[in-house]
Amino acid sequence: MYGAYHGKDGLVSIAKDIHTKAKTLSQGLQQLGLKLNENPFFDTLCIDASTLDTLGLKALLEENQINLNFFIKDKIIIAIDQTTSLEDLKTLVDLFADFLEKDSPILKETTEVDFGKLGRTSDFMNHKVFKDYHTETELMRYIKGLERKDLSLNHSMIALGSCTMKLNAATELLPLSWPEFGGIHPFVPKEQAQGFQKLISELEKDLSTCTGFYATSLQPNSGAQGEYAGLMVISAYHKTNGQGHRNIALMPASAHGTNPASAVLAGMKVVVVKNLENGHIDLEDLKEKVAQYKDNLACLMVTYPSTYGVFDEEIKEVTELIHQNGGQVYMDGANMNAQVGLTNPANIGADVCHLNLHKTFAIPHGGGGPGVGPICVAKHLAPFLPSNANIKTGGENAIAGISSAPYGSALVLIISYTYIKLLGPDGLKKSTQTAILSANYLKSQLEKHYNVLYQNHNGAVAHELIIDFRPFKAQSGIEVVDVAKRLMDYGFHAPTVSFPVAGTLMIEPTESESKQEIDRFISALVEIRKEIEEIETGKADKENNVLKNSPHTLEQISGDNWDFPYSRQKAAFPLEWIKERKFFASVNRIDDAYGDRNLVCACVPTEAYQ
Ligand SMILES: *Cc1c(COP(=O)(O)O)cnc(C)c1O
């Protein structure tokens, strides 16, 4: 949006402004006799501080509410941006003059821009999107237009299994806009951010309590990064114990794709353990693999409740077996929405887990971030929690930083902090109970029409369930993707498609959805079952039907030509309540897999790059 609003000319003008200010400052500092980097610079100056009393200077600057970068020995680094004013530059030069006991030079504003050989000559940002929205009015309408195309939580429930799309409450989000939080640089000295520090340590403590563990690191920026951090911590632990050769990570076949990817990044070898027909870990296979690899066993990665949406009843037996053979247990905590307040990873014998604060703890997600994937660890792993090059965090035997910022995406921590403090222990527990109850209510209604894949011996699921669409293919030709698209005609975003089992939907209602909304969702899936039946019984055509042709756009519904063998009403308003809540998809179906497998350049033609 920043790029769209300013466009190429705006960005160039901002960049020139920043550069000329940096130049003005460098001239002022040089007049004071300071030695600066001679390389061509853009916005950053580097002062040779080898002969300066940097501690004294730092103290003087801080007294005047200025932080510079003193993190590198014998250097002071200053970065200018478009919010730096000429007044700021004057203050800075005056303070340096003061410190050096010299007269303040008069700052002469430069306008000269010459990057020499480093100057950019190629054209850029030529797409229409960077040219059309240069007023606030235009930009506002552009953003609104995009929002209108988006079937999001402000329209209806998104029952995206394993992703926990819950309410992101306004109260939780509002403080992010306060400058007291948003205006703090991640590297400010700790004593300048005591409020933030308090929030961070309280949140660490609360998350440790939720997981039953000893300590927490908020550094990882996603669940996957948490996995990587946790596995690096496990490796460091093994090394310290003279077990550095342990490099085998066992994981069940049902594991989320990030698990094996993180293990490989962390330098481990992945060995897959089978799942049984009922979704549980195949204990026999696990025992075999453990026996085979026990000398090099680093860890087991296990999701609990499993990605099949059930609590593995043998989980304690599993974690014990791993410990008996010298391994550690990493629990993928993406499904913590089924545990908080009822049980915890420490209970089942795990040593470390990540949490997805952007799932279980109410941070909005879906647009790629920012996420937070903290890791919580048992006492023996706490010394290895990651530190940071500039701000000390983590344990006394810390592994290197997992991300550049000491507390990861610190700003959004406020959301999870507020979520936990608003709910309190009882509220958190009630949320978990409600999430599990809602999933089981959905199951009780949907199993009358569909095959629910996994359940425990009581016929219960955890906080999500998987329904199977594979059986319909043979007779009706209908596949899970047709149902996913058709749901849009009913105003619903599809649940998780084909994970962890191909041809299925994984549904997770969360505690945020009311019974009315869940009932609407059920009625949509029940109606869709009838639509499938019409094909099965030959009442509807196998190729040309409401499911295969979905989603139906407003343009189609209101067009002069309508050649489908069913009515417009059946296409767009298959149930009465949809009239009140109609959502039109902005485009008809496109071939999903094609887009994934073929890179399509929607910008200028390739020849333009010659
Ligand atoms: C979401 C998820 C992850 C990965 O988390 P990201 O924050 O997307 O990196 C890992 N495991 C499971 C089971 C998940 O659902």
Side-chain angles (χ1 to χ4, degrees), residues 21-34 36 45 89 92-94 96-97 100 102-108 110:
K21 276 183 200 146
K23 214 160 185 175
T24 304
L25 179 63
S26 89
Q27 286 168 359
L29 294 174
Q30 276 166 345
Q31 283 179 55
L32 287 170
L34 290 166
L36 269 70
L45 306 178
L89 302 182
L92 195 54
V93 171
D94 286 350
F96 268 96
L100 298 168
K102 295 192 176 173
D103 288 338
S104 249
I106 310 230
L107 274 192
K108 277 207 261 11
T110 335

Side-chain angles (χ1 to χ4, degrees), residues 19 22 42 74 85 87 92 124 153 179 204 244 283 373 381-382 436 447 466 479 504 507 535 576:
H19 175 64
F42 169 52
D74 291 340
S85 67
E87 221 37 58
L92 195 54
F124 62 101
L153 272 176
E204 285 174 354
L283 274 185
L381 295 180
I436 293 176
E447 68 190 355
I466 296 176
E479 295 181 67
T504 65
I507 304 173
I535 306 166
E576 189 60 30

Side-chain angles (χ1 to χ4, degrees), residues 162-163 222-224 227 256 258-259 303 307 332 334 354 356 358-359:
S162 202
C163 285
S222 73
E227 293 165 19
H256 191 275
T258 52
N259 288 190
T303 307
T307 44
D332 179 326
H354 78 258
N356 300 67
H358 49 289
K359 293 178 181 172

